[in-house]
Every structure is written in structure tokens, then in C-alpha cells.
Amino acid sequence: MTVESTPESIVVSIGESDRTLTRREAMALQDQIGDALVERREFFRTTGVHREDGSYEVTRRGADSAGNAKVFESFETVRRLYERLPDEFGAEAVGRTGITGSRRHMLVRHFAEHPAFDCEITSRSPLTVAKTDPEPTDATEEERMPEATAD
């Protein structure tokens, strides 16, 4: 993709296709792209936010303190965390990854609520989810658990 600017317009080239936009149209497109990159999706008890910088934030729905949020480098980082957890897990297993406090339970709920993660709550006390379509693996539980990360 290339972008060229002239005093009257902006020319965007993608592959063999060129589009000429007025400066006003280019500014509107920039705003729309920014809005598309920042996506907030609310679930029953959690919220997931794809942030402008590419990071992904999981928060307790309706909460406004940092203690109710966990920011990951990207959504892919959250996916890798999920893949390394056992086929059935709760807050304790999430805690072994370095995530502390109430964020552990929040993440267990987020995994159960978000459609990208194939799991469901099997127990509310203690809060436990089971992967409904676990990937077969030869890895031990220790190999599946990621290293500790900073909150």
C-alpha cells in the first residue's frame, strides 16, 4: 500500500487499485479506520477492548479502577494464554501465569464469555471453565503454562 499527497487530494494505492480522495474524504476515512481499530465489546460480566496501540484490555464490566483491568500486548497474547491453560481451569491456573488478585477470576469469566474461546463455565464455586473443543497436545501442564507476566 502506498499513499501520495497532492495539494488537492490523497491517492491511496493498494495492489493495482488506486483511489483518489479529497482531503476531507481522507480525514473522514482516517477517523473511520481509527474507530474500527478501537473496538469495545461488552459481555455479561466482562469487556474486551482492542486499543489503538494494538493492545487488548480485559475489564470487569462497569468497573472503573485499574484493579479491575488487565492489559495484554495484543489479543494474540490472550489467545496464547488460553491455549496454554489446561483443558479445565479456574483462577488458580490463571494465577500461575503471574496474573494476580481478582483479575484471575475476571479472565476466567472473559474466556467463558468471549466467542473466540471455546469453553464454558462448569462450576461457579470455585469458578471453573472447561474447554469444549480442546486441542490435542502432548505438552505437560508445566509446558502449557506461560511464564509470569507483569500486571
Side-chain angles (χ1 to χ4, degrees):
M1 180 174 88
T2 61
V3 178
E4 295 180 25
S5 175
T6 70
E8 306 84 35
S9 63
I10 306 294
V11 179
V12 178
S13 301
I14 300 174
E16 295 182 22
S17 179
D18 293 343
R19 295 287 187 244
T20 303
L21 306 169
T22 66
R23 289 194 169 274
R24 178 171 283 171
E25 290 170 332
M27 287 172 50
L29 178 60
Q30 181 181 26
D31 288 344
Q32 291 172 0
I33 289 173
D35 291 344
L37 287 173
V38 177
E39 177 188 1
R40 178 180 188 88
R41 191 165 181 192
E42 290 192 355
F43 301 100
F44 183 62
R45 290 198 167 121
T46 65
T47 299
V49 181
H50 290 274
R51 298 173 9 166
E52 232 176 297
D53 63 1
S55 63
Y56 185 75
E57 180 180 28
V58 178
T59 61
R60 190 171 311 281
R61 187 172 176 195
D64 58 359
S65 74
N68 292 303
K70 173 67 179 149
V71 178
F72 294 90
E73 187 177 300
S74 66
F75 186 76
E76 186 56 34
T77 304
V78 179
R79 186 181 306 282
R80 284 193 309 269
L81 168 65
Y82 173 78
E83 289 171 357
R84 294 181 76 172
L85 288 165
D87 293 343
E88 185 172 65
F89 63 92
E92 183 180 323
V94 172
R96 284 187 231 133
T97 69
I99 298 168
T100 60
S102 64
R103 292 179 193 93
R104 299 171 307 147
H105 291 88
M106 177 185 65
L107 282 168
V108 172
R109 287 197 182 281
H110 191 67
F111 288 134
E113 293 177 345
H114 197 294
F117 304 105
D118 221 3
C119 65
E120 58 188 31
I121 294 175
T122 57
S123 172
R124 299 206 185 282
S125 184
L127 181 60
T128 307
V129 300
K131 295 178 179 180
T132 54
D133 189 20
E135 302 256 341
T137 180
D138 293 331
T140 66
E141 184 173 332
E142 284 182 9
E143 291 170 327
R144 287 193 301 262
M145 299 302 292
E147 301 78 31
T149 59
D151 281 341

